[in-house]
C-alpha cells in the first residue's frame, strides 16, 4: 500500500475500503484479508459496530495491531458542541475502539463551527487522531476554516473521472488539506465502465476500467475509498500501484470531465 501524510503528520493509505451499505462482517473480513487497512464508515451507514467488530476480529485472529488500521467515520447530523462530544463518546463505544483515526463532518451543517470546535477538543484529548470535513465546496470551506484552530486534514468529496473538481484540489492545497474521493466509480452511473476512452486505455495497460479510474485519482495524490463486495474486485482495486498512466492518457482522461455532479443529492 502507498501512503500519504496528513497535515498533522499522520500517515494514511491512499486507497481504502468504502463501507456504505456493507453490514456483513464477513465482507469486511474479506477486505482485510485482501490487504485493506483503511475503512470508511459513518453514523448514517448504521454499520459502525460491524466495522469495529471486523477490526477486533482481525487483531485477534491474525495478530494485527490496532495501529495498522485506519478507521474513518463521520458525524451525520446537526448538533451542538456539547452534544457532539457525547456523540463522539457514543461512536467510540459503538466501534468498541479506543480512538478514531479520522472523524469528519459529513456535510456542512448549521452548527458546523461548534461541532468542529468540539472535534478539536476530542483531538487534543487523543480520542481522534485527525479531523476533517466532507462535501465542503471551496467557498464554504474557505469561510469555515477561518474559525478552525486545527485545519481540516481531509475534505472528502465527489471527485471522479466525470467530475474532477480541479478548483477544489487547488483550493485545498493552501491549507494542506487532502482530498478524498468518496465514490470513484460513481456507483456505476453514466456508463462509466462502458466509456470507449477508458476501455482503450485500460486495454493498453492490461488493466480494468476500474483500475484506470482509480489510478487517475491516486496519480494526482487524490485518495479514494472504493467499495466492492466481490473478492475479485476487492483484489483488483488494490492492484493499481504497479503501473502509471502516461501524460497523454492523463490528458485524455481529463478531457472526460463534465464539471457536473453525477448525484441528484449532491451538496
Amino acid at each position: 500500500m502507498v501512503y500519504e501524510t496528513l497535515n498533522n503528520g499522520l500517515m494514511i493509505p491512499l486507497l481504502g475500503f468504502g463501507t456504505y451499505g456493507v453490514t456483513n462482517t464477513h465482507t469486511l473480513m474479506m477486505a482485510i484479508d485482501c490487504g485493506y487497512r483503511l475503512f470508511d464508515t459513518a453514523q448514517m451507514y448504521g454499520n459502525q459496530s460491524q466495522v469495529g467488530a471486523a477490526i477486533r476480529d482481525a487483531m485477534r485472529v491474525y495478530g494485527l495491531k490496532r495501529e495498522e488500521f485506519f478507521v474513518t467515520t463521520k458525524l451525520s447530523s446537526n448538533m451542538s458542541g456539547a452534544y457532539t462530544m457525547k456523540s463522539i463518546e457514543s461512536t467510540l463505544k459503538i466501534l468498541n475502539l479506543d480512538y478514531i483515526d479520522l472523524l469528519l463532518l459529513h456535510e456542512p451543517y448549521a452548527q458546523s463551527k461548534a461541532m468542529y470546535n468540539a472535534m478539536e477538543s476530542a483531538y487534543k484529548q487523543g480520542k481522534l487522531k485527525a479531523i476533517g470535513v466532507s462535501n465542503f465546496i471551496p467557498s464554504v470551506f474557505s469561510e469555515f476554516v477561518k474559525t478552525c484552530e486545527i485545519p481540516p486534514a481531509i475534505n472528502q468529496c465527489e471527485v471522479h473521472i466525470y467530475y474532477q473538481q480541479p478548483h477544489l484540489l487547488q483550493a485545498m492545497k493552501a491549507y494542506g488539506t487532502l482530498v478524498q474521493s468518496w465514490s470513484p466509480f460513481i456507483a456505476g452511473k453514466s456508463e462509466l465502465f462502458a466509456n470507449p476512452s477508458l476501455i482503450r486505455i485500460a486495454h493498453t495497460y492490461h488493466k480494468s476500467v476500474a483500475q484506470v479510474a482509480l489510478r487517475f485519482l491516486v496519480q494526482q495524490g487524490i485518495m479514494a475509498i472504493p467499495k466492492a463486495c466481490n473478492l475479485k474486485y476487492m483484489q483488483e482495486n488494490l492492484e493499481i500501484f504497479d503501473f502509471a498512466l502516461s501524460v497523454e492518457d492523463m490528458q485524455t482522461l481529463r478531457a472526460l470531465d463534465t464539471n457536473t455532479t453525477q448525484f441528484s443529492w449532491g451538496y
Side-chain angles (χ1 to χ4, degrees):
M1 178 58 66
V2 176
Y3 288 76
E4 273 283 4
T5 304
L6 299 179
N7 56 13
N8 67 349
L10 187 67
M11 301 294 288
I12 179 173
L14 257 177
L15 200 68
F17 190 81
T19 69
Y20 176 74
V22 178
T23 57
N24 189 325
T25 305
H26 175 68
T27 300
L28 296 167
M29 288 298 288
M30 283 172 55
I32 292 172
D33 286 339
C34 285
Y36 288 93
R37 292 297 180 264
L38 188 162
F39 288 85
D40 180 274
T41 182
Q43 290 178 341
M44 70 171 288
Y45 297 172
N47 63 2
Q48 292 181 123
S49 61
Q50 289 93 330
V51 169
I55 289 172
R56 293 193 308 278
D57 285 348
M59 292 166 60
R60 175 177 53 83
V61 175
Y62 303 128
L64 297 172
K65 297 179 181 179
R66 170 65 182 91
E67 54 266 30
E68 294 181 62
F69 291 95
F70 195 103
V71 180
T72 299
T73 191
K74 312 174 196 77
L75 298 175
S76 300
S77 61
N78 188 49
M79 61 187 85
S80 67
Y83 195 81
T84 298
M85 291 299 292
K86 293 179 180 179
S87 186
I88 292 171
E89 293 292 346
S90 175
T91 296
L92 284 166
K93 289 180 181 178
I94 293 171
L95 286 165
N96 197 9
L97 298 174
D98 293 333
Y99 63 88
I100 297 166
D101 295 275
L102 174 65
L103 182 66
L104 306 176
L105 293 177
H106 210 147
E107 62 178 290
Y109 296 112
Q111 298 190 76
S112 285
K113 295 178 181 179
M115 293 172 70
Y116 195 83
N117 287 342
M119 290 164 60
E120 290 176 322
S121 296
Y123 171 82
K124 293 174 182 178
Q125 295 169 19
K127 297 174 182 178
L128 313 174
K129 298 299 182 181
I131 54 179
V133 298
S134 181
N135 300 302
F136 275 56
I137 62 175
S139 59
V140 173
F141 184 92
S142 62
E143 284 301 312
F144 173 78
V145 78
K146 291 177 181 178
T147 64
C148 298
E149 179 184 351
I150 302 169
I154 281 178
N155 187 4
Q156 191 183 100
C157 294
E158 178 190 356
V159 182
H160 47 72
I161 292 285
Y162 292 153
Y163 193 42
Q164 298 176 25
Q165 300 219 64
H167 59 292
L168 171 70
L169 304 181
Q170 191 60 39
M172 293 304 102
K173 286 182 180 179
Y175 305 97
T177 302
L178 297 180
V179 174
Q180 188 176 57
S181 164
W182 49 248
S183 188
F185 302 143
I186 327 171
K189 297 174 180 286
S190 306
E191 299 185 343
L192 176 73
F193 296 107
N195 183 281
S197 295
L198 279 165
I199 292 173
R200 177 186 60 77
I201 292 173
H203 180 74
T204 299
Y205 295 93
H206 305 289
K207 292 290 184 178
S208 69
V209 166
Q211 288 171 318
V212 170
L214 289 175
R215 182 67 204 183
F216 176 74
L217 296 174
V218 302
Q219 197 160 311
Q220 301 176 73
I222 301 169
M223 293 174 286
I225 45 172
K227 183 185 78 172
C229 294
N230 179 287
L231 179 60
K232 175 180 180 292
Y233 297 138
M234 285 183 187
Q235 294 171 331
E236 185 179 275
N237 291 342
L238 285 175
E239 295 169 355
I240 62 169
F241 299 107
D242 59 352
F243 77 108
L245 296 166
S246 69
V247 173
E248 294 76 16
D249 288 333
M250 288 292 286
Q251 290 174 340
T252 297
L253 295 175
R254 286 193 178 97
L256 298 179
D257 189 7
T258 66
N259 194 32
T260 304
T261 177
Q262 301 296 302
F263 295 90
S264 59
W265 47 265
Y267 300 100

